[in-house]
Amino acid sequence: MKAFKNIFLPIIVIIGLTILYNRIRYDYTWLIVLFILLSVYVISGIFRYKRWAVNYFLSPFSFLHGKVREQIEVDLPAEILFEKILEFYQSFKDYRIVYYEGELILNAGTPFSGFTWTENIIIKVSPSDDGESSTVDFTSLTFAVFSWGKNAENLEVFKAQLDQSFFVV
């Protein structure tokens, strides 16, 4: 049922565009709609590392991107936790890492390839009121409506690495 929920919108769009094309062959309305949808993907792909784009990706208006979000409570100060997360993602050579000056927000993305249309992982660390613990807002998004489980896999890898980082060897 969850998979159907994720692919429901593309099915409706494809069926709608097909019906529109068959009913109105000489009207270019369907081309305009398709152009707008493709423009959203292209613009969000070009500007995906900009700070304002992070706000867009975290908003409900980015419904064309497959997302998995989860908030995790961690008993570490925000700055230390952010440094641990940054070290973890810098160990991957295929991620481009961007973090924003003065904010505890990490934006890690993979390049476009034949295997993936790219994916971004946005991690926002917020300190708690006591300063001893933090909240991690993890968002994994793909530049497709359905991620085929890749977003959930990114979340599980992140949680496993976060658990492992608490052990001192």
Side-chain angles (χ1 to χ4, degrees), residues 65-91:
H65 301 93
K67 284 191 246 185
V68 170
R69 291 187 79 174
E70 187 170 325
Q71 284 192 340
I72 304 166
E73 296 290 327
V74 180
D75 290 331
L76 275 178
E79 291 79 17
I80 294 172
L81 179 62
F82 186 75
E83 290 299 321
K84 283 183 167 285
I85 294 170
L86 184 60
E87 285 176 19
F88 170 65
Y89 279 103
Q90 285 176 337
S91 68

Side-chain angles (χ1 to χ4, degrees), residues 83-140:
E83 290 299 321
K84 283 183 167 285
I85 294 170
L86 184 60
E87 285 176 19
F88 170 65
Y89 279 103
Q90 285 176 337
S91 68
F92 291 113
K93 63 179 179 179
D94 56 343
Y95 277 102
R96 176 178 176 199
I97 309 296
V98 176
Y99 52 96
Y100 306 101
E101 194 68 34
E103 298 182 83
L104 299 176
I105 299 174
L106 174 82
N107 189 351
T110 59
F112 180 81
S113 69
F115 182 68
T116 179
W117 272 28
T118 72
E119 57 194 46
N120 270 34
I121 296 172
I122 301 169
I123 300 171
K124 185 176 183 179
V125 179
S126 305
S128 64
D129 294 332
D130 64 2
E132 296 297 320
S133 61
S134 307
T135 303
V136 177
D137 184 13
F138 177 90
T139 305
S140 177

